[in-house]
Amino acid sequence: MRTREFLMKDLYSFDVDVAGAEETFEQVCRTYHRIFTALQLPYLQVSGDTGVMGGMRSSEFQALSDRGEDIIQVCKKCGSAWNRELEDQQGTCEDGCDLEEKKSIEIGHGFLLGTKYSEIFKSQYSSTQQGTELCVMGCYGIGVTRLLATMVDVLWQDEVDHLIWPKAFAPFSVQVMSLGKPREERFAKACSLAEKISHCMLTDAETGRPHLLAESDVVVDDRLWWSDAMRLREAEMLGSPYLVIAGKKSGEGLYELQHQPSQEKELLSEDALVQRLTHLLATDQGLLAK
């Protein structure tokens, strides 16, 4: 899948020495690992060719896909990986690497540029000891539109015939809808339940501070003029991780909670459903913060 436009998230770094630039490089790469892990993509960080950008070091983030146009080589023993363009690259195995080739799509890149562009643009800083010196640069990027297309290619689920977005990327965490008749009565129950869900108290995984689930993270399907089948199909295509349904059992105070990625379903009372979702959302949030 390809998009008609290409958007890039760019980042440039300026350090006073190579050691600082290398630490910045590692810090950005760790951040990219968190991003791609949260997006649930199968990917590898591999050594890449500095190419026309030049510089001291290059790392590519490659999403594994049979539709990919890049070829990476991975050692089964030591885990070293590099783009096949690097013909002289060697792994760390003393007795030689056992290589396998994989197709992939480049979704991110980092370059440790050194002073190549600092010299051209006279990017300098004031040193208390030696006057002015050249900055040591790095540049980094994630192809945002390519990343979106890659997620569609890699994460499409043939067995359910729709895409399930990663929790970090889904437009909403929870979608609430009513099914069946009496429509207005069940819709009112769905709205009331959505209000309670939006007040789930979560704990920030990094700061430990409590906060409410954002109201913008819960959506209610109010298109009652559509058929139930059509709205269920739309819910699947929207790809929210959790779907809450006020259906025929809602008259008994029971509501269905569906975990979209696993297709698991639970029938719970209103209070039990809110507690269950609070636990699930807190667990998801903790995983994304790692």
Side-chain angles (χ1 to χ4, degrees), residues 191-200 270-271 274:
C191 291
S192 175
L193 185 55
E195 179 69 19
K196 291 185 178 181
I197 293 171
S198 68
H199 286 81
C200 287
E270 187 174 284
D271 290 341
V274 172

Side-chain angles (χ1 to χ4, degrees), residues 42-166:
Y43 75 94
L44 289 173
Q45 180 181 350
V46 307
S47 299
D49 187 1
T50 56
V52 295
M53 288 293 292
M56 306 162 59
R57 182 179 171 189
S58 166
S59 273
E60 301 171 358
F61 289 84
Q62 296 275 0
L64 304 179
S65 171
D66 291 336
R67 300 182 178 92
E69 297 179 351
D70 284 357
I71 302 292
I72 59 174
Q73 295 180 323
V74 184
C75 176
K76 298 178 183 179
K77 295 189 291 185
C78 69
S80 298
W82 53 86
N83 195 307
R84 196 172 65 177
E85 295 174 348
L86 294 176
E87 296 181 355
D88 61 342
Q89 181 72 27
Q90 299 294 325
T92 59
C93 297
E94 294 183 0
D95 57 345
C97 285
D98 181 9
L99 298 179
E100 63 176 334
E101 293 191 340
K102 298 176 181 287
K103 288 186 176 182
S104 60
I105 304 170
E106 184 183 338
I107 51 177
H109 211 139
F111 293 91
L112 188 57
L113 298 172
T115 58
K116 175 181 178 179
Y117 296 97
S118 301
E119 293 174 358
I120 296 173
F121 294 105
K122 295 182 172 55
S123 176
Q124 302 172 326
Y125 69 95
S126 296
S127 171
T128 56
Q129 298 176 343
Q130 301 179 11
T132 59
E133 296 188 49
L134 292 171
C135 296
V136 183
M137 290 183 60
C139 70
Y140 314 87
I142 292 178
V144 179
T145 45
R146 179 183 291 179
L147 180 60
L148 176 61
T150 301
M151 290 168 66
V152 173
D153 281 338
V154 175
L155 300 177
W156 180 270
Q157 309 242 349
D158 289 330
E159 60 271 20
V160 292
D161 193 31
H162 63 81
L163 179 69
I164 298 175
W165 292 115

Side-chain angles (χ1 to χ4, degrees), residues 262-276:
S262 67
Q263 297 294 296
E264 294 178 357
K265 300 178 181 180
E266 300 178 74
L267 200 59
L268 302 167
S269 67
E270 187 174 284
D271 290 341
L273 187 145
V274 172
Q275 290 178 6
R276 178 69 172 144

